Amino acid sequence: MTDLDQVRLSGSRCSECGETSLGRTSLCANCGRETVSEISLSKRGTLWTYTVVRHRPPGDYKGPDPFVPFGLGLVELPDGLRVLAPIQCDIGQLKIGLAVQFKPFVRRESDGREIVSFAFELVP
Ligand SMILES: [Zn+2]
């Protein structure tokens, strides 16, 4: 097991209304109360919908050069939220309802720094 295997997405859940959101927050996005606590989000989810990005995104795109089309999906997690992320698979395999799993990875910046980023991949 590597350190990357320990990486999970963080979320926040409100104990009053049950709203779950991505990342750490101090206020509930639904009811505005401060009754939120941090949770680790599930590693597996379902591809709720997707699109195929067929043109190199503008700006500081970090993907392969030359550009390779990729899937960008909304993954529905059992925790009660959807997360937007690249879907790492052959774009011909993309299909709504597929089981996918969280996949953290390390990306090296041009200045040598290492950044932990994430995508989802098909469950084998
Ligand atoms: Zn709430």
Side-chain angles (χ1 to χ4, degrees):
M1 183 176 274
T2 68
D3 288 346
L4 269 182
D5 295 326
Q6 308 289 324
V7 174
R8 302 278 293 272
L9 289 176
S10 280
S12 299
R13 177 168 290 142
C14 176
S15 61
E16 285 298 315
C17 73
E19 180 76 9
T20 304
S21 50
L22 182 64
R24 296 178 194 151
T25 61
S26 56
L27 289 177
C28 175
N30 183 50
C31 72
R33 293 188 175 99
E34 296 180 15
T35 51
V36 290
S37 53
E38 185 180 348
I39 60 171
S40 285
L41 297 176
S42 300
K43 294 186 91 165
R44 287 191 174 192
T46 304
L47 187 56
W48 190 74
T49 194
Y50 68 91
T51 189
V52 175
V53 179
R54 296 184 186 278
H55 300 280
R56 182 186 177 88
D60 197 20
Y61 177 66
K62 306 285 189 192
D65 191 14
F67 175 75
V68 176
F70 64 93
L72 184 64
L74 261 183
V75 174
E76 188 164 63
L77 298 178
D79 312 288
L81 75 166
R82 296 178 189 130
V83 177
L84 183 69
I87 309 296
Q88 292 185 345
C89 68
D90 185 297
I91 57 175
Q93 295 178 285
L94 289 165
K95 188 176 162 190
I96 289 172
L98 283 174
V100 292
Q101 62 190 13
F102 179 68
K103 185 185 178 193
F105 60 92
V106 175
R107 193 183 68 218
R108 186 175 298 277
E109 298 288 284
S110 55
D111 63 5
R113 288 178 303 145
E114 292 184 333
I115 305 289
V116 176
S117 191
F118 72 94
F120 282 82
E121 64 182 359
L122 304 188
V123 173

